[in-house]
Amino acid sequence: MVAAGTGRRQFTITFQQPSDCGADKIFDISSLSCVRCGPNQISSKSGTTCICQTGFKVLSSNGATVTCQQCPADAKQAVTKDGYGCIRCPGGLNQDGTCQCPAGSVLVEKDLHGNLLEQAVCEVCSPAEPAFSVPDATGSRCQRCQDSFINTSLSCTCGQGNILVGGLCFPPNNLPTSVVTTVSFAQSLLVQSIWFSRHLHSSAAACLVFSNLTACQALGNMCVMNMHSVSGIGNDACGLYNTIYRATAALGSAQAISYWRSNLPWLFYGDQPGLASRVLRTDALPARFSFKGASKNTNINFIAAVYNARGDFIKWESAGGGSLQLCPDTAVRIKAAYTFGTAYQQSCVLSVSKILTDFPEPLFYDIFMDFTLSSGERKLLAVPVRNLNQLFNGQLVNQGSNMNNWYLTRRILLVDTLTGRENRLEAQPKFIRIAASIRISFQLVPDTQKGEVYPPLITVSYSDIAVNNPDTQTVPVSFAVEYEMDQKEAQIKTDIALGVLGGVSVLYSLLKTASWKRRIASPIIDLETILKFLLFYAGDLANVFFVITVGTGLYWLIFYKAQQFVSVLLPLPSQEEQFVTYVGCAFALKAVQFLHKLIHQLSVDIFFIDWERPRGKIMEVAGSTKSIPTPVSIWRTYFVANEWNEIQTTRRINPAFQVAAVLFFLEIVGFSSLALRDPSSALKRDAEAYVPQWSLILRYGVATAVWLIIGLLQILFFTVFHERFVEDKIRQFVDLCSISNISVWLLSHRCFGYYIHGRSVHGHADTNMEEMNVNLKREAENLCGQRGLLPNTDTQTFQISITNRLRQQYDRILDPLTRRNGPSRLLDATASPFEQNTKAYHTMNRFLSSVIDHAHKEMDYIVKDKLLFERVIGMEFIEPMDKSLFYNDESHSFSDVLYYGNEATLLIFDMLFFCVVDLGSQNFVLAAVLTYLQQLLFKLLRNAIGRRNLATKTLVDERFLM
């Protein structure tokens, strides 16, 4: 920062550091500046103190100030090692001006009382027995030489034929004369590791020859640094470990574990094929897990024996404190990883510079599961490790899914910044290795009812990072805890259910197709028939997928969340893919069914039969009175047509309320919390607590349960209360037809449809208010006939199966209007479209009313009841040949051509649409908004096209439909 020139004194200093001071100056730590040393003085190695020059002794010193005096040059004296005296030397001088002694000798400058000798003496150390002494590192005293020299050569020299490595001497034929000190990073890049160069050979030799425990641990650590990789050569880290493992078989096993050799760390479980499955799937853990009740036990206690790179045991450490998790987080969230049943997932991105700062040397962990037996005895169970980076004879054996090919190991490390250093241990590493992914998985014992699980497995995947710019480089890491169970039995049951129900749906679809063929009076099996069968089958198969997926979702929701002792565990996210596929199939097929029904409803044939007949009116014309017929009003027909237009999209539920209520219970009440991958059934969670991932199966189960319950409650409310005490639009429409003297002729198929008998019992409906009230009062007091088609009956609605002759006549009347929409050469140029429309309307009205009145013997009909089995399967057994069949229909099944009669299809389609959007986005709010928009869009489409079809088929001008 540049100081501004203000005229005031600025408190500034010149920046200096020790490297700026030079040889004759020191850095004054008080004034933070360079200060010149006194006469005959130079700067020390630290650069912060002054020392005497070579050949000068310390005359006086009070700590801060030193006075130096030169030793007499004529007497050939040198400075003593402590720097406070001058003495004659027996030989030459060292570079620092002190006396020099030959190799194997030590310099003696003082007697036993500390008095300085007149001349220094070089005393020879005795390398022979029994002294076996050599000068120490300072050359000031004799010390016993290292034991490996004595044991190997009975001297302080290693001797010919022996191996000198790392300051130790070993006899030949125990280990290779040379070892591999290069380490492979990223599976191909070799680094000459300074750590391996200094310690690999000596650690292996000390472990083998002297059974040095620390050296054995250090050797094992270097094998772990080398990713437990085993090759054909025997002079790499793991090769040396295995050599010693085989050579020390006579020492026996530690802790009665055959894979754990005495004096050696336990690194491998063995290399026998299939050993992994025996380790992981033979015996269950002694601990039993339960989610609820007095015996609740969800604590997972991991404890680790921690070692440093040199092989020193540091401590026992609980893994619950986050020692295995590299990502920082709160203590509460970290602890959640060790709550049984909670699917834990943690991930973050770490800076390489922070890694180098926080992990200057690696730590190694032997992980055990800590539990207490019923007898009160505390036991530790070794937790096996699956290292995905482990090489066995050049192959990544642990990356396949076949457990029998795995080679399990024990010890792990999290971060290795030591192996990748090449020249100096203080230098920046060329590569670092980090545990980028750690996953702890528990497997439930099949058919258990007591919460039994197999031993957990730790799966580790390491990433190698070439260190170029630590400040900008980052590393993604993750930690997860998973719980799984064998899903094969559940999958088999699902496949069986799908096969059986799918076969039944084929038969049901064939039955529907046969019924459709009979209703269109077509005996030929053509391409249209096949297409129709596929459409029916799509709808039925959609119901099969719907039942299976809803059943599966509710099964996992109920049995997982409500269980006390653990007997089921949720499928893993990878195992949910097939379930999501089933949901997608259910939605796609249900969408096909919905569109098929929608198109079918938009193309039905409908006509309103007006039973009103003109009534005479007396008028005076040219002085005489005449009775002139009064025209029949069309407004009653328009009114009925508008009511039909309004009920086209009437439903048994309120769609907007359905979506809002579902969203309220899922998000506001908190039912969505039941879809989290943990055993908790709480609807509200602490804001600081760990929130696990969503289970798609549970999410679907919760959403479908809430949707169906609210939908069924709505249907029950509308059926039992609203339609009985408030408003029933379907029955009101039938009553409106009777009051308006209008019948409805409705053909959903070519020769099948519905008939609503609306002929007024009063004979006419074009009247004033007073007469209308009188007629309604008479009807209420049973002073007139009943409304039914047959005398003394009340049945007004019928399913009709008409003859082919009747249908042909119906089409013949509408043929001029059909040709009007066809080629221009077929048009009748003499008649206007309005005249054709009016003529066709009156002709059709007279024809259909005469058919109802049995005026056409060749197109007559009979009224009967449908058989129960015919109602169940939706098919008529009797084909109308000579006479049409009118089936009594008190259930108002004409609503099948409306939204009202297809509520099940609409409810399921909306629910599947909601769930598919949610499974894709995992956002209930977005799913609710899109579902509401979808409902609104199809409702507008149904109203618009339905109104146009209504105007076309009933010959009512569309301008009068509102």
Side-chain angles (χ1 to χ4, degrees):
M1 187 177 87
V2 180
T6 60
R8 299 173 57 187
R9 182 178 178 182
Q10 299 296 317
F11 297 96
T12 60
I13 64 173
T14 301
F15 173 74
Q16 289 182 319
Q17 52 187 343
S19 59
D20 299 332
C21 296
D24 59 343
K25 294 181 180 180
I26 63 169
F27 184 76
D28 187 349
I29 60 174
S30 176
S31 63
L32 302 179
S33 62
C34 292
V35 177
R36 187 175 300 276
C37 290
N40 305 318
Q41 297 175 12
I42 59 174
S43 173
S44 64
K45 291 183 178 180
S46 66
T48 57
T49 59
C50 293
I51 60 175
C52 294
Q53 294 181 1
T54 302
F56 287 79
K57 69 175 182 178
V58 177
L59 184 61
S60 64
S61 174
N62 59 6
T65 304
V66 177
T67 303
C68 299
Q69 183 181 30
Q70 186 176 14
C71 290
D74 55 350
K76 297 183 179 179
Q77 294 185 2
V79 180
T80 58
K81 286 191 174 183
D82 59 11
Y84 282 87
C86 296
I87 193 170
R88 290 195 302 271
C89 295
L93 300 179
N94 293 315
Q95 291 182 355
D96 59 356
T98 60
C99 295
Q100 185 180 34
C101 285
S105 302
V106 296
L107 181 66
V108 179
E109 297 177 326
K110 298 179 180 180
D111 60 16
L112 295 177
H113 301 287
N115 297 318
L116 192 65
L117 300 176
E118 292 184 2
Q119 180 174 340
V121 179
C122 290
E123 296 287 348
V124 179
C125 296
S126 176
E129 191 178 1
F132 293 118
S133 64
V134 293
D136 65 359
T138 64
S140 59
R141 57 185 292 270
C142 293
Q143 65 177 9
R144 186 176 177 85
C145 61
Q146 214 276 333
D147 288 340
S148 64
F149 288 83
I150 301 174
N151 294 336
T152 303
S153 61
L154 293 177
S155 68
C156 288
T157 60
C158 194
Q160 293 184 354
N162 297 322
I163 301 174
L164 178 63
V165 58
L168 303 177
C169 182
F170 303 101
N173 302 324
N174 287 320
L175 290 173
T177 57
S178 63
V179 295
V180 177
T181 58
T182 56
V183 179
S184 176
F185 287 90
Q187 300 182 12
S188 60
L189 300 175
L190 297 178
V191 173
Q192 185 67 42
S193 174
I194 186 64
W195 181 262
F196 278 55
S197 299
R198 290 186 180 182
H199 300 288
L200 177 58
H201 206 168
S202 58
S203 297
C207 177
L208 176 62
V209 178
F210 303 109
S211 296
N212 184 284
L213 299 182
T214 303
C216 291
Q217 296 295 330
L219 174 63
N221 291 341
M222 282 182 273
C223 181
V224 176
M225 292 178 179
N226 210 22
M227 297 290 96
H228 291 90
S229 296
V230 178
S231 61
I233 61 176
N235 59 345
D236 59 359
C238 293
L240 293 171
Y241 172 88
N242 288 327
T243 298
I244 299 174
Y245 183 88
R246 292 187 294 268
T248 56
L251 296 178
S253 301
Q255 300 283 3
I257 298 175
S258 59
Y259 308 112
W260 193 349
R261 183 75 76 240
S262 295
N263 300 333
L264 284 175
W266 180 11
L267 299 186
F268 299 94
Y269 277 87
D271 57 358
Q272 299 90 354
L275 180 61
S277 60
R278 295 197 298 272
V279 172
L280 296 173
R281 298 293 182 267
T282 300
D283 298 320
L285 289 177
R288 301 291 185 268
F289 293 98
S290 60
F291 290 154
K292 295 177 175 64
S295 59
K296 178 180 179 181
N297 177 28
T298 58
N299 295 325
I300 303 173
N301 298 319
F302 283 129
I303 190 171
V306 186
Y307 299 83
N308 62 16
R310 293 168 180 80
D312 299 317
F313 174 79
I314 299 177
K315 60 179 177 178
W316 284 104
E317 183 175 74
S318 173
S323 57
L324 300 181
Q325 295 158 257
L326 294 174
C327 294
D329 208 338
T330 63
V332 174
R333 295 175 184 270
I334 289 177
K335 187 178 179 181
Y338 305 98
T339 300
F340 188 86
T342 300
Y344 187 86
Q345 181 71 42
Q346 182 192 50
S347 60
C348 63
V349 177
L350 300 179
S351 169
V352 171
S353 61
K354 181 173 177 56
I355 293 174
L356 294 174
T357 302
D358 295 345
F359 301 93
E361 289 189 7
L363 294 177
F364 299 82
Y365 301 88
D366 287 345
I367 302 174
F368 298 86
M369 194 167 181
D370 186 7
F371 56 89
T372 303
L373 299 179
S374 57
S375 61
E377 184 180 5
R378 186 177 181 184
K379 288 288 187 178
L380 299 181
L381 176 72
V383 179
V385 176
R386 176 190 172 200
N387 186 348
L388 298 181
N389 297 73
Q390 180 183 0
L391 290 171
F392 188 84
N393 294 329
Q395 301 295 323
L396 293 170
V397 292
N398 289 334
Q399 292 194 355
S401 58
N402 188 353
M403 185 185 301
N404 293 322
N405 295 331
W406 295 349
Y407 289 88
L408 301 180
T409 57
R410 280 284 297 130
R411 184 167 293 186
I412 68 170
L413 61 85
L414 299 183
V415 178
D416 180 10
T417 62
L418 186 61
T419 307
R421 303 178 191 268
E422 287 188 308
N423 300 320
R424 295 182 301 109
L425 291 177
E426 299 79 12
Q428 178 176 287
K430 186 175 181 180
F431 281 90
I432 63 172
R433 179 169 281 157
I434 185 170
S437 173
I438 298 179
R439 184 175 72 253
I440 303 176
S441 56
F442 288 84
Q443 175 76 31
L444 190 69
V445 175
D447 302 323
T448 181
Q449 301 296 326
K450 299 180 180 180
E452 295 178 312
V453 295
Y454 288 120
L457 173 67
I458 300 178
T459 302
V460 186
S461 177
Y462 291 91
S463 293
D464 298 335
I465 297 94
V467 180
N468 299 318
N469 190 347
D471 294 331
T472 58
Q473 289 180 276
T474 56
V475 184
V477 296
S478 64
F479 179 87
V481 182
E482 295 178 348
Y483 304 87
E484 57 183 312
M485 63 177 291
D486 190 358
Q487 301 290 336
K488 293 181 180 179
E489 184 178 357
Q491 185 59 48
I492 291 175
K493 292 180 179 178
T494 301
D495 293 340
I496 292 175
L498 184 61
V500 172
L501 295 178
V504 173
S505 66
V506 171
L507 299 178
Y508 190 42
S509 300
L510 288 173
L511 188 63
K512 285 183 177 180
T513 306
S515 175
W516 173 77
K517 292 292 289 183
R518 174 161 291 185
R519 289 178 176 183
I520 65 171
S522 172
I524 303 174
I525 299 178
D526 51 8
L527 183 61
E528 183 183 6
T529 304
I530 297 175
L531 178 61
K532 206 70 176 180
F533 165 75
L534 294 177
L535 291 173
F536 287 136
Y537 183 56
D540 296 332
L541 192 59
N543 294 332
V544 171
F545 279 112
F546 167 75
V547 170
I548 289 177
T549 54
V550 172
T552 301
L554 293 179
Y555 169 83
W556 288 112
L557 179 64
I558 295 173
F559 284 91
Y560 179 72
K561 291 290 184 177
Q563 62 185 332
Q564 179 176 350
F565 288 97
V566 182
S567 59
V568 294
L569 290 175
L570 291 175
L572 297 176
S574 59
Q575 296 172 327
E576 293 179 329
E577 294 178 356
Q578 188 172 20
F579 176 81
V580 175
T581 301
Y582 285 170
V583 175
C585 291
F587 169 70
L589 294 173
K590 183 58 69 172
V592 171
Q593 182 190 27
F594 169 69
L595 293 176
H596 176 219
K597 287 181 175 289
L598 185 65
I599 294 173
H600 177 70
Q601 291 184 9
L602 295 176
S603 59
V604 297
D605 294 316
I606 184 171
F607 189 82
F608 298 121
I609 305 172
D610 191 353
W611 296 101
E612 195 76 15
R613 296 294 178 260
R615 290 192 290 176
K617 182 179 181 181
I618 299 176
M619 298 183 64
E620 292 186 3
V621 179
S624 62
T625 59
K626 293 185 178 180
S627 179
I628 302 177
T630 303
V632 175
S633 173
I634 194 63
W635 287 107
R636 291 173 298 101
T637 302
Y638 286 168
F639 185 63
V640 173
N642 270 286
E643 287 302 313
W644 178 266
N645 185 50
E646 287 184 7
I647 67 173
Q648 287 191 101
T649 54
T650 297
R651 295 182 58 174
R652 295 176 184 264
I653 66 171
N654 187 320
F657 174 81
Q658 175 77 18
V659 174
V662 168
L663 189 61
F664 171 79
F665 281 101
L666 290 176
E667 292 293 344
I668 306 302
V669 177
F671 279 96
S672 60
S673 297
L674 297 176
L676 294 174
R677 301 179 69 88
D678 63 8
S680 174
S681 301
L683 300 183
K684 297 296 182 181
R685 304 296 179 100
D686 189 354
E688 297 182 356
Y690 173 76
V691 179
Q693 287 182 316
W694 299 105
S695 167
L696 297 184
I697 291 181
L698 292 186
R699 199 171 176 90
Y700 179 82
V702 171
T704 54
V706 173
W707 189 283
L708 291 177
I709 290 175
I710 294 176
L712 293 177
L713 289 177
Q714 278 207 86
I715 293 175
L716 184 64
F717 170 78
F718 273 83
T719 302
V720 175
F721 178 78
H722 188 271
E723 292 181 353
R724 179 172 297 182
F725 300 106
V726 181
E727 182 183 31
D728 186 351
K729 291 187 176 182
I730 301 300
R731 287 176 173 79
Q732 285 179 351
F733 179 78
V734 177
D735 293 338
L736 176 64
C737 291
S738 296
I739 296 174
S740 303
N741 205 14
I742 301 290
S743 292
V744 181
W745 179 271
L746 183 64
L747 294 179
S748 58
H749 299 73
R750 184 176 181 275
C751 294
F752 178 85
Y754 308 92
Y755 173 67
I756 302 175
H757 186 64
R759 193 168 189 173
S760 176
V761 296
H762 309 290
H764 56 85
D766 265 351
T767 182
N768 56 30
M769 181 181 295
E770 181 181 0
E771 187 175 356
M772 177 65 72
N773 290 332
V774 171
N775 291 339
L776 292 177
K777 183 177 180 181
R778 293 180 59 218
E779 189 173 359
E781 296 173 354
N782 293 323
L783 300 178
C784 58
Q786 294 176 296
R787 292 181 176 182
L789 176 62
L790 297 179
N792 299 321
T793 64
D794 286 325
T795 305
Q796 293 181 259
T797 56
F798 302 87
Q799 292 182 6
I800 58 177
S801 182
I802 64 176
T803 62
N804 194 38
R805 181 182 302 171
L806 177 56
R807 178 67 198 207
Q808 289 176 351
Q809 182 61 29
Y810 182 88
D811 292 338
R812 193 176 296 116
I813 296 174
L814 295 178
D815 185 63
L817 302 180
T818 305
R819 288 203 309 265
R820 189 175 68 193
N821 298 324
S824 58
R825 65 178 183 274
L826 300 178
L827 296 178
D828 184 3
T830 60
S832 66
F834 176 77
E835 293 175 349
Q836 289 181 341
N837 195 70
T838 303
K839 181 180 179 181
Y841 172 78
H842 289 295
T843 304
M844 182 66 73
N845 195 72
R846 287 193 301 270
F847 169 69
L848 292 179
S849 59
S850 62
V851 169
I852 300 300
D853 285 338
H854 301 279
H856 300 278
K857 297 301 181 182
E858 70 280 4
M859 290 180 285
D860 203 2
Y861 66 93
I862 58 176
V863 179
K864 59 177 299 185
D865 291 325
K866 251 189 178 183
L867 299 176
L868 176 62
F869 194 57
E870 287 181 311
R871 295 176 184 272
V872 171
I873 67 175
M875 179 179 178
E876 297 75 37
F877 293 159
I878 302 175
E879 187 174 358
M881 301 300 294
D882 299 326
K883 291 185 178 182
S884 299
L885 300 174
F886 279 41
Y887 297 99
N888 293 315
D889 179 28
E890 297 180 356
S891 61
H892 299 83
S893 59
F894 68 88
S895 62
D896 288 345
V897 298
L898 307 172
Y899 264 11
Y900 186 88
N902 295 274
E903 186 56 58
T905 300
L906 294 171
L907 185 68
I908 295 175
F909 173 73
D910 291 342
M911 187 203 72
L912 289 174
F913 183 91
F914 177 87
C915 291
V916 166
V917 174
D918 174 66
L919 292 181
S921 63
Q922 296 187 13
N923 189 323
F924 285 127
V925 176
L926 177 63
V929 172
L930 293 182
T931 302
Y932 175 74
L933 294 178
Q934 168 265 129
Q935 292 173 341
L936 187 61
L937 176 64
F938 280 111
K939 181 177 181 180
L940 294 175
L941 184 67
R942 175 68 175 83
N943 280 329
I945 303 179
R947 182 170 60 251
R948 185 177 303 172
N949 179 72
L950 179 64
T952 302
K953 300 299 177 62
T954 61
L955 307 178
V956 172
D957 197 313
E958 188 176 355
R959 290 172 294 182
F960 294 97
L961 299 177
M962 296 177 289

